[in-house]
Amino acid sequence: MDRTFDYVIVGGGTAGCVLANRLSVDPAVTVALLEAGPPDSDPAIRIPAMVAKAIGNPRNGWGYKSAPQAHADGRMLPVPRGRVLGGCSSINGMVYFRGHPREYDEWGVPGWRYADLLPYFRKLEHYAAGTGAHRNQGGPVSVIDIPKPNPLIKRFVDAAALLGFARCNDFAGPEPEGFGPRQGSIRDGLRESGVTAYLNPVRHRPNLHILTDHPVNKVLFEGKRAIGVEAAPGGQTQRVMARREVILCGGAYGSPQLLLLSGVGDAAQLAQHNIPLVHELPAVGRNLQDHPAASVSVRTTNTESYGLSWRTVPRAVGIALRYLINRSGPLASNVFEANGFVRSQPGLDRPDLQIIFMPAHRNANGHWLPIGHGYGIIFVALRPFSRGSVTLASADPRQAPVIDFGFLSDSRDMDVLVQGFELARRLLAAAPFAQLESNEVSPGTAVQSRADIEAHIRRVLVTVHHPSATCRIGDVVDAQLRVLGLQGLRVVDASVIPTVIAGNSNIPVTAIAERAADLITGALHD
Ligand SMILES: Cc1cc2nc3c(=O)[nH]c(=O)nc-3n(C[C@H](O)[C@H](O)[C@H](O)COP(=O)(O)OP(=O)(O)OC[C@H]3O[C@@H](n4cnc5c(N)ncnc54)[C@H](O)[C@@H]3O)c2cc1C
């Protein structure tokens, strides 16, 4: 028998959790949240420092790989993506960042300027350190300054100061530029995800139905109106109908894939897969934008970094006990505790390069190693010019979509990364680090020429997981996030972002979903 709700939300990730909470405030309105993955029961999800384990557990993710990247030695990059309640907010690095205010202003979309979003950035947060014009207390998402960062963090920030960079103490403030400590979405020593912030407090509402292990195959239409979805719990198809709206929150890969599977997209692509056309919208899945990054890694005999060695066994035992007893100490930290936002060239009006400090040992391929000591820097091209796409590999919803980042297809992105590489080396050679006995393991000091640096970047290039813009406002949805040309269907997630935010995307997506909730309920009229 069909089940019917007022709102059917597809995808229980960052945005889906926000909407499930906000739309079910009215007890007269019924809401179903359909998530393809299981509940977020993996203990590694909870403990902040176990983020690498949470990402690595196949039960928590889709297991995607990118299409071969022509400008990164043809490699297929790992694409971790949450397939679990909470979505990526259950496996992400918990780094708390809003993006530069001018990002939003440059979208040029009425209602989505920074001034429009600031009330939602404030509404969503509970910032332990205080409140003010830009910060707030009392919201669902707990954000903290990491209480006792790794000692190498001070060396990193001091090194930046010696090189003449400004310090930034609050990257969620109006001028996120310079070097400083990062804040984390962490509550009482545990990960703050969409589930803990938005779902757990309201699970008891009788009008909210959280349906995990419910992958959705397609949206159902009557003419141009979305009337529900076809889901496949346990492999059995069933219809879940929507009286008011279907809201896609499948993320920057999931939402365009679902639209295409439902017959909304580029007519030629749909014909290739024998999917009947419901509505032609060629931009669905085009324009994928994400942040490419590479790294420099150093090994050291100094034991300040996170990581295990014989000499640090007693410290490790102490760390475990401290966490068990009062959920504090390094296990309550998200590891990547400091970064810098800088301009790669003098003429720019804001940063386009992120310099992330890694107080842990990585091997020559950039993989984090829990045994041994070391540190390094990840540098990220924040405002990439390259564009990619999400397309269908098959009409079978169980097949992964083709994710082609097109990384470095615009050579300006390589220029930014080369600047990042050189700055990383200068920072790691500055006095605070020079006191440590260390040697560069990746790429190694033999790499000096521009050609060799570029070759290193291509060899270790990764995504730092902020895919956006595959159903962007203007091309696929309108300013109220309604799919163009159709009724009863919205997209609310990272895919609607017109230009990828120059920074980490979880909090921007949360704010977008907060504002979308007001648009949907009619609390806000644009
Ligand atoms: C490894 C990693 C680390 C990150 N680190 C950070 C960080 O430290 N700070 C930060 O700000 N951002 C970080 N991000 C990015 C941030 O988490 C994402 O931008 C954000 O979570 C995106 O939210 P979303 O709602 O768009 O999508 P998601 O959170 O991905 O949610 C989409 C949900 O939809 C579900 N879904 C998809 N298709 C279907 C379907 N057909 N049927 C049913 N359900 C479906 C998925 O399973 C998923 O649960 C990270 C991301 C990753 C992957």
mmCIF file of all heavy atoms in Angstrom, residues 155-200:
data_model
loop_
_atom_site.group_PDB
_atom_site.id
_atom_site.type_symbol
_atom_site.label_atom_id
_atom_site.label_comp_id
_atom_site.label_asym_id
_atom_site.label_seq_id
_atom_site.Cartn_x
_atom_site.Cartn_y
_atom_site.Cartn_z
ATOM 1 N N ARG A 155 53.306 25.957 16.407
ATOM 2 C CA ARG A 155 54.449 26.136 15.508
ATOM 3 C C ARG A 155 53.957 26.609 14.125
ATOM 4 O O ARG A 155 54.566 27.464 13.493
ATOM 5 C CB ARG A 155 55.201 24.813 15.345
ATOM 6 C CG ARG A 155 55.905 24.336 16.600
ATOM 7 C CD ARG A 155 56.666 23.037 16.308
ATOM 8 N NE ARG A 155 57.154 22.429 17.536
ATOM 9 C CZ ARG A 155 58.318 22.729 18.117
ATOM 10 N NH1 ARG A 155 59.112 23.625 17.577
ATOM 11 N NH2 ARG A 155 58.683 22.131 19.237
ATOM 12 N N PHE A 156 52.850 26.031 13.670
ATOM 13 C CA PHE A 156 52.305 26.367 12.350
ATOM 14 C C PHE A 156 51.865 27.840 12.303
ATOM 15 O O PHE A 156 52.235 28.586 11.385
ATOM 16 C CB PHE A 156 51.125 25.435 12.059
ATOM 17 C CG PHE A 156 50.320 25.770 10.831
ATOM 18 C CD1 PHE A 156 50.859 25.625 9.565
ATOM 19 C CD2 PHE A 156 49.001 26.207 10.946
ATOM 20 C CE1 PHE A 156 50.103 25.912 8.430
ATOM 21 C CE2 PHE A 156 48.243 26.496 9.825
ATOM 22 C CZ PHE A 156 48.793 26.350 8.566
ATOM 23 N N VAL A 157 51.128 28.247 13.310
ATOM 24 C CA VAL A 157 50.616 29.622 13.318
ATOM 25 C C VAL A 157 51.785 30.609 13.506
ATOM 26 O O VAL A 157 51.824 31.672 12.866
ATOM 27 C CB VAL A 157 49.524 29.779 14.406
ATOM 28 C CG1 VAL A 157 49.024 31.205 14.485
ATOM 29 C CG2 VAL A 157 48.350 28.838 14.110
ATOM 30 N N ASP A 158 52.745 30.231 14.327
ATOM 31 C CA ASP A 158 53.933 31.087 14.510
ATOM 32 C C ASP A 158 54.734 31.187 13.203
ATOM 33 O O ASP A 158 55.249 32.261 12.856
ATOM 34 C CB ASP A 158 54.836 30.534 15.616
ATOM 35 C CG ASP A 158 54.232 30.728 17.012
ATOM 36 O OD1 ASP A 158 53.210 31.439 17.114
ATOM 37 O OD2 ASP A 158 54.778 30.164 17.980
ATOM 38 N N ALA A 159 54.846 30.063 12.498
ATOM 39 C CA ALA A 159 55.592 30.078 11.226
ATOM 40 C C ALA A 159 54.926 31.047 10.252
ATOM 41 O O ALA A 159 55.599 31.833 9.573
ATOM 42 C CB ALA A 159 55.639 28.672 10.633
ATOM 43 N N ALA A 160 53.591 31.018 10.207
ATOM 44 C CA ALA A 160 52.859 31.927 9.298
ATOM 45 C C ALA A 160 53.105 33.380 9.704
ATOM 46 O O ALA A 160 53.304 34.253 8.840
ATOM 47 C CB ALA A 160 51.372 31.600 9.328
ATOM 48 N N ALA A 161 53.113 33.633 11.006
ATOM 49 C CA ALA A 161 53.347 35.011 11.476
ATOM 50 C C ALA A 161 54.753 35.469 11.080
ATOM 51 O O ALA A 161 54.946 36.610 10.630
ATOM 52 C CB ALA A 161 53.158 35.083 12.998
ATOM 53 N N LEU A 162 55.719 34.561 11.204
ATOM 54 C CA LEU A 162 57.102 34.926 10.818
ATOM 55 C C LEU A 162 57.196 35.256 9.333
ATOM 56 O O LEU A 162 57.993 36.088 8.928
ATOM 57 C CB LEU A 162 58.045 33.762 11.125
ATOM 58 C CG LEU A 162 58.558 33.661 12.547
ATOM 59 C CD1 LEU A 162 59.437 32.417 12.709
ATOM 60 C CD2 LEU A 162 59.375 34.903 12.907
ATOM 61 N N LEU A 163 56.347 34.615 8.529
ATOM 62 C CA LEU A 163 56.349 34.903 7.082
ATOM 63 C C LEU A 163 55.497 36.134 6.754
ATOM 64 O O LEU A 163 55.309 36.470 5.590
ATOM 65 C CB LEU A 163 55.834 33.697 6.296
ATOM 66 C CG LEU A 163 56.645 32.398 6.351
ATOM 67 C CD1 LEU A 163 56.068 31.358 5.388
ATOM 68 C CD2 LEU A 163 58.105 32.623 6.020
ATOM 69 N N GLY A 164 54.928 36.758 7.774
ATOM 70 C CA GLY A 164 54.216 38.018 7.563
ATOM 71 C C GLY A 164 52.715 37.885 7.388
ATOM 72 O O GLY A 164 52.043 38.859 7.033
ATOM 73 N N PHE A 165 52.148 36.694 7.621
ATOM 74 C CA PHE A 165 50.697 36.535 7.464
ATOM 75 C C PHE A 165 49.963 36.964 8.724
ATOM 76 O O PHE A 165 50.444 36.756 9.839
ATOM 77 C CB PHE A 165 50.351 35.076 7.130
ATOM 78 C CG PHE A 165 50.784 34.673 5.760
ATOM 79 C CD1 PHE A 165 51.954 33.949 5.570
ATOM 80 C CD2 PHE A 165 50.036 35.038 4.648
ATOM 81 C CE1 PHE A 165 52.367 33.588 4.297
ATOM 82 C CE2 PHE A 165 50.441 34.679 3.371
ATOM 83 C CZ PHE A 165 51.618 33.959 3.196
ATOM 84 N N ALA A 166 48.786 37.531 8.520
ATOM 85 C CA ALA A 166 47.972 37.981 9.663
ATOM 86 C C ALA A 166 47.403 36.777 10.391
ATOM 87 O O ALA A 166 47.280 35.685 9.819
ATOM 88 C CB ALA A 166 46.830 38.852 9.156
ATOM 89 N N ARG A 167 47.028 36.991 11.653
ATOM 90 C CA ARG A 167 46.368 35.931 12.409
ATOM 91 C C ARG A 167 44.851 36.129 12.289
ATOM 92 O O ARG A 167 44.373 37.267 12.266
ATOM 93 C CB ARG A 167 46.795 36.018 13.871
ATOM 94 C CG ARG A 167 46.304 34.816 14.667
ATOM 95 C CD ARG A 167 46.730 34.890 16.119
ATOM 96 N NE ARG A 167 45.948 33.923 16.880
ATOM 97 C CZ ARG A 167 46.355 32.702 17.196
ATOM 98 N NH1 ARG A 167 47.553 32.292 16.840
ATOM 99 N NH2 ARG A 167 45.579 31.887 17.882
ATOM 100 N N CYS A 168 44.113 35.036 12.213
ATOM 101 C CA CYS A 168 42.652 35.113 12.233
ATOM 102 C C CYS A 168 42.156 34.226 13.363
ATOM 103 O O CYS A 168 42.449 33.028 13.387
ATOM 104 C CB CYS A 168 42.074 34.639 10.896
ATOM 105 S SG CYS A 168 40.271 34.753 10.850
ATOM 106 N N ASN A 169 41.440 34.819 14.292
ATOM 107 C CA ASN A 169 40.975 34.032 15.442
ATOM 108 C C ASN A 169 39.578 33.477 15.254
ATOM 109 O O ASN A 169 39.157 32.615 16.015
ATOM 110 C CB ASN A 169 41.009 34.889 16.708
ATOM 111 C CG ASN A 169 42.428 35.024 17.206
ATOM 112 O OD1 ASN A 169 43.200 34.074 17.173
ATOM 113 N ND2 ASN A 169 42.788 36.230 17.623
ATOM 114 N N ASP A 170 38.852 33.988 14.263
ATOM 115 C CA ASP A 170 37.488 33.505 14.065
ATOM 116 C C ASP A 170 37.187 33.434 12.566
ATOM 117 O O ASP A 170 36.796 34.424 11.951
ATOM 118 C CB ASP A 170 36.490 34.431 14.772
ATOM 119 C CG ASP A 170 35.070 33.889 14.658
ATOM 120 O OD1 ASP A 170 34.894 32.792 14.088
ATOM 121 O OD2 ASP A 170 34.144 34.570 15.134
ATOM 122 N N PHE A 171 37.344 32.237 12.002
ATOM 123 C CA PHE A 171 37.108 32.085 10.565
ATOM 124 C C PHE A 171 35.624 32.158 10.208
ATOM 125 O O PHE A 171 35.279 32.152 9.037
ATOM 126 C CB PHE A 171 37.716 30.771 10.065
ATOM 127 C CG PHE A 171 39.225 30.804 9.986
ATOM 128 C CD1 PHE A 171 39.996 29.987 10.785
ATOM 129 C CD2 PHE A 171 39.862 31.665 9.109
ATOM 130 C CE1 PHE A 171 41.384 30.019 10.708
ATOM 131 C CE2 PHE A 171 41.239 31.716 9.019
ATOM 132 C CZ PHE A 171 42.005 30.885 9.822
ATOM 133 N N ALA A 172 34.748 32.172 11.218
ATOM 134 C CA ALA A 172 33.325 32.351 10.914
ATOM 135 C C ALA A 172 32.934 33.830 11.054
ATOM 136 O O ALA A 172 31.753 34.171 10.993
ATOM 137 C CB ALA A 172 32.473 31.486 11.828
ATOM 138 N N GLY A 173 33.914 34.679 11.227
ATOM 139 C CA GLY A 173 33.645 36.116 11.326
ATOM 140 C C GLY A 173 33.581 36.749 9.949
ATOM 141 O O GLY A 173 33.638 36.054 8.928
ATOM 142 N N PRO A 174 33.491 38.087 9.894
ATOM 143 C CA PRO A 174 33.292 38.756 8.605
ATOM 144 C C PRO A 174 34.528 38.774 7.701
ATOM 145 O O PRO A 174 34.407 38.981 6.511
ATOM 146 C CB PRO A 174 32.893 40.180 9.010
ATOM 147 C CG PRO A 174 33.334 40.344 10.420
ATOM 148 C CD PRO A 174 33.391 38.995 11.035
ATOM 149 N N GLU A 175 35.728 38.561 8.251
ATOM 150 C CA GLU A 175 36.948 38.600 7.429
ATOM 151 C C GLU A 175 37.776 37.327 7.599
ATOM 152 O O GLU A 175 38.807 37.314 8.269
ATOM 153 C CB GLU A 175 37.799 39.833 7.799
ATOM 154 C CG GLU A 175 37.304 41.146 7.235
ATOM 155 C CD GLU A 175 37.247 41.173 5.706
ATOM 156 O OE1 GLU A 175 38.054 40.505 5.041
ATOM 157 O OE2 GLU A 175 36.353 41.865 5.172
ATOM 158 N N PRO A 176 37.333 36.229 7.019
ATOM 159 C CA PRO A 176 38.068 34.978 7.195
ATOM 160 C C PRO A 176 39.330 34.931 6.321
ATOM 161 O O PRO A 176 39.325 34.413 5.222
ATOM 162 C CB PRO A 176 37.050 33.910 6.769
ATOM 163 C CG PRO A 176 36.106 34.611 5.857
ATOM 164 C CD PRO A 176 36.136 36.063 6.179
ATOM 165 N N GLU A 177 40.373 35.522 6.806
ATOM 166 C CA GLU A 177 41.640 35.562 6.060
ATOM 167 C C GLU A 177 42.777 35.518 7.059
ATOM 168 O O GLU A 177 42.677 36.099 8.146
ATOM 169 C CB GLU A 177 41.704 36.836 5.212
ATOM 170 C CG GLU A 177 42.989 36.939 4.426
ATOM 171 C CD GLU A 177 42.897 37.857 3.208
ATOM 172 O OE1 GLU A 177 41.849 38.517 3.036
ATOM 173 O OE2 GLU A 177 43.880 37.902 2.453
ATOM 174 N N GLY A 178 43.890 34.871 6.700
ATOM 175 C CA GLY A 178 45.023 34.751 7.604
ATOM 176 C C GLY A 178 45.097 33.349 8.185
ATOM 177 O O GLY A 178 44.447 32.424 7.691
ATOM 178 N N PHE A 179 45.896 33.201 9.233
ATOM 179 C CA PHE A 179 46.146 31.873 9.817
ATOM 180 C C PHE A 179 45.640 31.819 11.249
ATOM 181 O O PHE A 179 45.750 32.807 11.992
ATOM 182 C CB PHE A 179 47.654 31.595 9.820
ATOM 183 C CG PHE A 179 48.177 31.190 8.468
ATOM 184 C CD1 PHE A 179 48.337 32.146 7.464
ATOM 185 C CD2 PHE A 179 48.502 29.875 8.196
ATOM 186 C CE1 PHE A 179 48.823 31.780 6.213
ATOM 187 C CE2 PHE A 179 48.976 29.500 6.950
ATOM 188 C CZ PHE A 179 49.139 30.460 5.952
ATOM 189 N N GLY A 180 45.117 30.677 11.627
ATOM 190 C CA GLY A 180 44.661 30.542 13.006
ATOM 191 C C GLY A 180 44.017 29.201 13.258
ATOM 192 O O GLY A 180 43.958 28.339 12.370
ATOM 193 N N PRO A 181 43.522 29.020 14.483
ATOM 194 C CA PRO A 181 42.892 27.745 14.840
ATOM 195 C C PRO A 181 41.526 27.614 14.181
ATOM 196 O O PRO A 181 40.833 28.598 13.950
ATOM 197 C CB PRO A 181 42.748 27.851 16.365
ATOM 198 C CG PRO A 181 42.721 29.320 16.640
ATOM 199 C CD PRO A 181 43.504 29.998 15.572
ATOM 200 N N ARG A 182 41.148 26.373 13.889
ATOM 201 C CA ARG A 182 39.833 26.140 13.300
ATOM 202 C C ARG A 182 38.836 25.760 14.397
ATOM 203 O O ARG A 182 39.222 25.216 15.427
ATOM 204 C CB ARG A 182 39.890 24.993 12.303
ATOM 205 C CG ARG A 182 40.941 25.169 11.251
ATOM 206 C CD ARG A 182 40.494 24.609 9.943
ATOM 207 N NE ARG A 182 40.797 23.214 9.756
ATOM 208 C CZ ARG A 182 40.748 22.623 8.557
ATOM 209 N NH1 ARG A 182 40.419 23.295 7.485
ATOM 210 N NH2 ARG A 182 41.017 21.355 8.431
ATOM 211 N N GLN A 183 37.589 26.025 14.134
ATOM 212 C CA GLN A 183 36.547 25.598 15.070
ATOM 213 C C GLN A 183 35.951 24.288 14.570
ATOM 214 O O GLN A 183 36.058 23.964 13.398
ATOM 215 C CB GLN A 183 35.471 26.680 15.169
ATOM 216 C CG GLN A 183 36.020 27.956 15.784
ATOM 217 C CD GLN A 183 35.179 29.185 15.540
ATOM 218 O OE1 GLN A 183 34.137 29.129 14.896
ATOM 219 N NE2 GLN A 183 35.640 30.317 16.040
ATOM 220 N N GLY A 184 35.333 23.549 15.503
ATOM 221 C CA GLY A 184 34.784 22.247 15.125
ATOM 222 C C GLY A 184 33.338 22.090 15.550
ATOM 223 O O GLY A 184 32.913 22.617 16.581
ATOM 224 N N SER A 185 32.575 21.342 14.742
ATOM 225 C CA SER A 185 31.194 20.995 15.121
ATOM 226 C C SER A 185 31.287 19.787 16.054
ATOM 227 O O SER A 185 31.253 18.627 15.606
ATOM 228 C CB SER A 185 30.364 20.623 13.891
ATOM 229 O OG SER A 185 30.408 21.638 12.945
ATOM 230 N N ILE A 186 31.413 20.058 17.319
ATOM 231 C CA ILE A 186 31.639 19.020 18.327
ATOM 232 C C ILE A 186 30.821 19.395 19.558
ATOM 233 O O ILE A 186 30.761 20.577 19.927
ATOM 234 C CB ILE A 186 33.152 18.927 18.663
ATOM 235 C CG1 ILE A 186 33.932 18.452 17.425
ATOM 236 C CG2 ILE A 186 33.404 17.996 19.853
ATOM 237 C CD1 ILE A 186 35.430 18.499 17.542
ATOM 238 N N ARG A 187 30.171 18.377 20.160
ATOM 239 C CA ARG A 187 29.384 18.639 21.375
ATOM 240 C C ARG A 187 29.809 17.658 22.459
ATOM 241 O O ARG A 187 29.745 16.453 22.266
ATOM 242 C CB ARG A 187 27.891 18.459 21.073
ATOM 243 C CG ARG A 187 26.981 18.691 22.261
ATOM 244 C CD ARG A 187 25.553 18.280 21.940
ATOM 245 N NE ARG A 187 24.971 19.137 20.910
ATOM 246 C CZ ARG A 187 24.353 20.305 21.151
ATOM 247 N NH1 ARG A 187 24.219 20.733 22.390
ATOM 248 N NH2 ARG A 187 23.862 21.013 20.165
ATOM 249 N N ASP A 188 30.251 18.182 23.558
ATOM 250 C CA ASP A 188 30.661 17.344 24.698
ATOM 251 C C ASP A 188 31.606 16.227 24.271
ATOM 252 O O ASP A 188 31.444 15.064 24.672
ATOM 253 C CB ASP A 188 29.429 16.724 25.386
ATOM 254 C CG ASP A 188 28.472 17.792 25.885
ATOM 255 O OD1 ASP A 188 28.963 18.890 26.225
ATOM 256 O OD2 ASP A 188 27.253 17.544 25.909
ATOM 257 N N GLY A 189 32.568 16.555 23.419
ATOM 258 C CA GLY A 189 33.558 15.564 23.012
ATOM 259 C C GLY A 189 33.072 14.577 21.962
ATOM 260 O O GLY A 189 33.770 13.613 21.657
ATOM 261 N N LEU A 190 31.881 14.793 21.408
ATOM 262 C CA LEU A 190 31.326 13.892 20.380
ATOM 263 C C LEU A 190 31.019 14.680 19.108
ATOM 264 O O LEU A 190 30.732 15.888 19.166
ATOM 265 C CB LEU A 190 30.025 13.252 20.883
ATOM 266 C CG LEU A 190 30.134 12.370 22.130
ATOM 267 C CD1 LEU A 190 28.736 11.975 22.613
ATOM 268 C CD2 LEU A 190 30.947 11.116 21.841
ATOM 269 N N ARG A 191 31.047 13.965 17.968
ATOM 270 C CA ARG A 191 30.699 14.617 16.694
ATOM 271 C C ARG A 191 29.302 15.232 16.760
ATOM 272 O O ARG A 191 28.348 14.613 17.226
ATOM 273 C CB ARG A 191 30.712 13.572 15.575
ATOM 274 C CG ARG A 191 30.126 14.083 14.255
ATOM 275 C CD ARG A 191 29.938 12.955 13.254
ATOM 276 N NE ARG A 191 31.226 12.418 12.833
ATOM 277 C CZ ARG A 191 31.950 12.888 11.830
ATOM 278 N NH1 ARG A 191 31.503 13.917 11.127
ATOM 279 N NH2 ARG A 191 33.114 12.357 11.523
ATOM 280 N N GLU A 192 29.201 16.439 16.242
ATOM 281 C CA GLU A 192 27.879 17.041 16.026
ATOM 282 C C GLU A 192 27.554 16.856 14.549
ATOM 283 O O GLU A 192 28.203 17.446 13.679
ATOM 284 C CB GLU A 192 27.925 18.531 16.368
ATOM 285 C CG GLU A 192 26.590 19.224 16.251
ATOM 286 C CD GLU A 192 25.698 19.017 17.476
ATOM 287 O OE1 GLU A 192 25.244 17.874 17.670
ATOM 288 O OE2 GLU A 192 25.464 19.995 18.211
ATOM 289 N N SER A 193 26.591 16.027 14.256
ATOM 290 C CA SER A 193 26.199 15.790 12.852
ATOM 291 C C SER A 193 24.788 16.337 12.653
ATOM 292 O O SER A 193 24.143 16.808 13.602
ATOM 293 C CB SER A 193 26.199 14.286 12.576
ATOM 294 O OG SER A 193 25.161 13.667 13.325
ATOM 295 N N GLY A 194 24.288 16.204 11.447
ATOM 296 C CA GLY A 194 22.894 16.573 11.208
ATOM 297 C C GLY A 194 21.959 15.776 12.104
ATOM 298 O O GLY A 194 20.921 16.280 12.552
ATOM 299 N N VAL A 195 22.344 14.533 12.385
ATOM 300 C CA VAL A 195 21.496 13.674 13.222
ATOM 301 C C VAL A 195 21.467 14.187 14.665
ATOM 302 O O VAL A 195 20.388 14.348 15.258
ATOM 303 C CB VAL A 195 22.016 12.211 13.198
ATOM 304 C CG1 VAL A 195 21.119 11.316 14.047
ATOM 305 C CG2 VAL A 195 22.089 11.697 11.779
ATOM 306 N N THR A 196 22.659 14.433 15.219
ATOM 307 C CA THR A 196 22.685 14.836 16.638
ATOM 308 C C THR A 196 22.112 16.245 16.819
ATOM 309 O O THR A 196 21.473 16.524 17.835
ATOM 310 C CB THR A 196 24.123 14.774 17.206
ATOM 311 O OG1 THR A 196 24.963 15.631 16.435
ATOM 312 C CG2 THR A 196 24.662 13.363 17.165
ATOM 313 N N ALA A 197 22.330 17.119 15.827
ATOM 314 C CA ALA A 197 21.868 18.506 15.979
ATOM 315 C C ALA A 197 20.375 18.651 15.677
ATOM 316 O O ALA A 197 19.659 19.373 16.374
ATOM 317 C CB ALA A 197 22.674 19.430 15.057
ATOM 318 N N TYR A 198 19.918 17.955 14.622
ATOM 319 C CA TYR A 198 18.560 18.247 14.137
ATOM 320 C C TYR A 198 17.559 17.097 14.288
ATOM 321 O O TYR A 198 16.363 17.345 14.394
ATOM 322 C CB TYR A 198 18.609 18.653 12.652
ATOM 323 C CG TYR A 198 19.119 20.054 12.437
ATOM 324 C CD1 TYR A 198 20.461 20.295 12.168
ATOM 325 C CD2 TYR A 198 18.266 21.153 12.522
ATOM 326 C CE1 TYR A 198 20.944 21.590 11.977
ATOM 327 C CE2 TYR A 198 18.724 22.444 12.328
ATOM 328 C CZ TYR A 198 20.064 22.657 12.063
ATOM 329 O OH TYR A 198 20.522 23.929 11.882
ATOM 330 N N LEU A 199 18.040 15.837 14.235
ATOM 331 C CA LEU A 199 17.066 14.733 14.288
ATOM 332 C C LEU A 199 16.839 14.220 15.704
ATOM 333 O O LEU A 199 15.682 14.043 16.122
ATOM 334 C CB LEU A 199 17.518 13.562 13.415
ATOM 335 C CG LEU A 199 17.448 13.743 11.897
ATOM 336 C CD1 LEU A 199 17.723 12.403 11.214
ATOM 337 C CD2 LEU A 199 16.098 14.288 11.458
ATOM 338 N N ASN A 200 17.931 13.971 16.419
ATOM 339 C CA ASN A 200 17.745 13.354 17.745
ATOM 340 C C ASN A 200 16.809 14.155 18.650
ATOM 341 O O ASN A 200 15.971 13.559 19.341
ATOM 342 C CB ASN A 200 19.102 13.096 18.422
ATOM 343 C CG ASN A 200 19.825 11.941 17.752
ATOM 344 O OD1 ASN A 200 19.235 11.211 16.960
ATOM 345 N ND2 ASN A 200 21.112 11.777 18.050
#
